Amino acid sequence: FLSPSAIASSWGSGKDPYEIDDYGNVTLLHITDTHAQLLPVWWREPGTNIGTRKQKEWGVTPHLVGNHKLEYYGIKAGTPEGYALSCMDFDTLAHKYGKIGGYAHIATLVKRYREQVGKKAILLDGGDAWQGSATSLWTKAEDMVGAQNLLKEDYFVGHWEFTYGADRVEYLLKHKLKAKFLSQNVFTIPWDEPVFDPYDIREISGRKVAIIGQSFPFTPIANPAYFVPKWAFGIHPGHMQKMVDECREKHHADIVVVLSHNGADVDKKMASQVKGIDIILGGHTHEIMGPRPVKINNTLIINTSTNGKFLARFDLDVGKGKLKGWRFHYLPIISNMIPEDKEMVDYITKVRAPYAKKLAEPLAVTESLLYRRDNFNGTFDQILCDALREEMDCEAAFSPGFRWGYCKLPGETITMEDVMGQTAITYPQVTVTEYTGAELKNVMEQVADNLFNPNPYYIQGGDMIRVGNIQYTMDPGETIDKRITDLRIGGKMVQANKRYKVAGWGAMQRVEGTPVWDIFAKWLRSKKTVSANSRDLPVLTKNMKGNPGIAFPKEYDL
Amino acid sequence: ANVAGWPAAAFDAKALDAAMKDSIDTTSVKVSPKVHLTAPTIAENGAAVPVTVDVDHPMTADDYIESVYLYVDHNPTPLASAFHFSANNGQAYFQARIKMAKTDMVRAVAKTNKGVLMASKPQEVKVTIGGCGG
Amino acid sequence: MAAMGNPMVRMASHAKKGQIVEVRSLIMNPMTTGLSKNKAGKLIPAHFIQTVTVTFNNKPLCNVDWSTAISANPYLAFKMRAEESGTLEMTWKDNTNGVWSSKASITVA
Ligand SMILES: [Mn+2]
Ligand SMILES: [Mn+2]
């Protein structure tokens, strides 16, 4: 690996890339969707993130990938920024620059900026911090709460947090987490009353800063509703407007900031409907809206990636009743360039110690790059689907289109920890379902509509369901029930009335079954080496040709 | 036995047209931006979809919203509810929870005491399998 | 069978004259449609609230007619202009002669 100073010079000017001139009277530091990755990981940006609106609206952030993204924002390929913001040459650049994220590295940067700017800084966490690793699952998120407390986070919202169940969430928020949890869009059933404080007003540098929380609106739809049977979610733009007005009129807030887990497209639509939000600090869809924030009406919107890859810093000049000026920085946490924070290292070592041996168990070596993030099968999903199919003796497999799950480079050993990094959820049971051909198609159509519906308020923020041994043609620009044609299993046309045995995991109802990590690990042990050179990708219809949300069109026969 | 005064014909009608005819005596009502229908784009629970109707209209003794009808296009019986206000309500507003078996359109029609009809923009509520996530 | 009845009305106890207050209510009722079957394959008869009437100081305020499309254990919220102190009373009637009432009082200053 290069030394930090060598990397710094390749960054551009030769000076410390994390050195930022102070500006303004309020500093917002934002992380989101770390998915419980306490240690640095490999993280490749998606090669496919299709925007499906009319062709003239193609290529709108965040639906820009690969070289399209580099060109649009004028980023040089091969630089640390190019490495962080695009999927191009990932293998090569990963070896050159190293892993991203890690709480010890994030902590160093957060402490440094707090020392630099003093009390005007606040740290906001956009949720999905409690899920994604073995240790978070096994400690029921307590390891993450400890790390959040060490970072001295100020505010928090949620999504996967809720999959520990309402009781556990309430316990951790009340008794363990020091950050304040905010949500304007979670209400009790049946009485329709707020579950959490919707907002907080913080006085900073003599100005009033309102922080409104927005948890993931589709929590009981995208994840099992039985975890939160007495809570209702939703986007609630009308209630958001009421909260913004209340902050401004009743509390005389000088600026209004929304800490959101809506996802990028939903945030953009919300900003077009709700007046008076200055900044949306977004998460959930694991996109990077930038390097420059997107502006809708008078609202600046960012989305700060995932897995600890970025720390976002907004320096604000807040005047009386208005935002007078701002400077924004996406700071890639390239772990080789940032020393570890001793206190956080000690903490992480301590919480991992009881599990270290189990986590380190080597299972197989991968010969190819393994990643998950993409609109359709990632390579890691592909081998997981292969494993499910073979272990469960099924002709096909489904795997959820999750956007978390880090990468492994060619030649690396897949450990038990890595398997958990792809599968650590609270509803991991593997099931075998007999679908008719019509039901199978319906499942795929329903999920495709969650991804490609032109109305952002129908976009749940995951990717297309992953498939094993299923082939199809897809037109993302079509409407529900019409996107998928030429559906085949093992090359043979699927018949509407015929039954097919499909292995899957992550069911929305309570089911019995072996945890997916046991089945995946068993399969990996038996293989010793794996590769994912061919994937069950759909053929995309020709009208997608030239879509800047596709980095490698040949993968889809375009 | 039906409760006295309960409009059985409108509630038993099995198609939207018949349900509208039996409740408001017409099948076509102009959409008005004054009738706000709020429903989730995607149902969290198809057995209890929260729906709010709010009409921007005076509520005075001689000019008020007398009734608001709520329909789900393809429910077995499309008319779900008929709310009858008086001027003393102060605002033509209600919230209720309805059943929807599948993705469908929900619509509200408001009627003033002078018999003027105004419809909300129909709103699609999707009833779907979930299971994805960022 | 699940609990029946137990009607509840919630409303602010104090308001300024002319203020519009929200009234919220809940009652336990199966709201069955008559279209679904039990485990033995027999149709479950329709059982549902058909009307809700609301009075304030015994004068009619509003009423609502419901179909079986209203969810089990129906929740209903609406508004009232607070002009005088008094008592709001809600009465629910179902198609099996079930009748339930509940009251809430408000002081208007
Ligand atoms: Mn999320
Ligand atoms: Mn996430």
Side-chain angles (χ1 to χ4, degrees), chain B residues 1-3 6-7 11 47-48 59 76 79-82 84 86-91 93-95 97-99, chain C residues 20 22 31 33 35 48 50-51 61-71 75-81 94-95:
Chain B
N2 288 338
V3 175
W6 186 73
F11 279 124
M59 290 296 269
L79 178 61
S81 144
H84 307 290
S86 70
N88 293 335
N89 284 106
Q91 195 177 346
Y93 160 96
F94 72 87
Q95 187 183 351
R97 297 186 185 120
I98 60 172
K99 296 173 197 164
Chain C
I20 291 171
E22 187 168 21
M31 300 300 285
T33 59
L35 302 172
F48 64 110
Q50 291 189 314
T51 67
L61 177 69
C62 55
N63 63 84
V64 57
D65 299 321
W66 276 344
S67 80
T68 55
I70 299 296
S71 305
Y75 172 84
L76 180 68
F78 56 91
K79 290 184 180 174
M80 177 184 78
R81 193 191 289 117
D94 77 9
N95 66 328

Side-chain angles (χ1 to χ4, degrees), chain A residues 447-514:
Chain A
V447 179
D449 198 54
N450 296 339
L451 177 61
F452 294 126
N453 194 305
N455 179 347
Y457 281 3
Y458 290 89
I459 296 180
Q460 294 179 27
D463 281 309
M464 183 58 186
I465 192 165
R466 287 19 196 160
V467 295
N469 199 31
I470 297 178
Q471 300 83 32
Y472 59 104
T473 297
M474 155 75 81
D475 182 353
E478 260 297 351
T479 52
I480 192 163
D481 295 334
K482 292 184 193 146
R483 290 191 178 93
I484 291 164
T485 51
D486 197 26
L487 180 62
R488 291 163 189 270
I489 290 184
K492 280 192 207 131
M493 285 297 285
V494 167
Q495 320 254 309
N497 297 320
K498 208 181 149 195
R499 294 190 163 273
Y500 300 90
K501 249 175 83 182
V502 183
W505 63 290
M508 291 296 104
Q509 306 79 31
R510 288 181 200 273
V511 291
E512 299 285 315
T514 310

Side-chain angles (χ1 to χ4, degrees), chain A residues 33 35 127-128 159-160 261 284-286 306 403-404, chain B residues 133-134:
Chain A
D33 293 81
H35 283 282
D128 281 357
H159 166 200
W160 278 93
H261 201 91
H284 178 60
T285 39
H286 300 185
T306 183
R403 288 191 174 190
W404 43 270

Side-chain angles (χ1 to χ4, degrees), chain A residues 190-193, chain C residues 10 24 26 75:
Chain A
W191 283 103
D192 202 31
E193 283 161 355
Chain C
R10 292 185 183 177
R24 302 182 307 134
L26 195 65
Y75 172 84

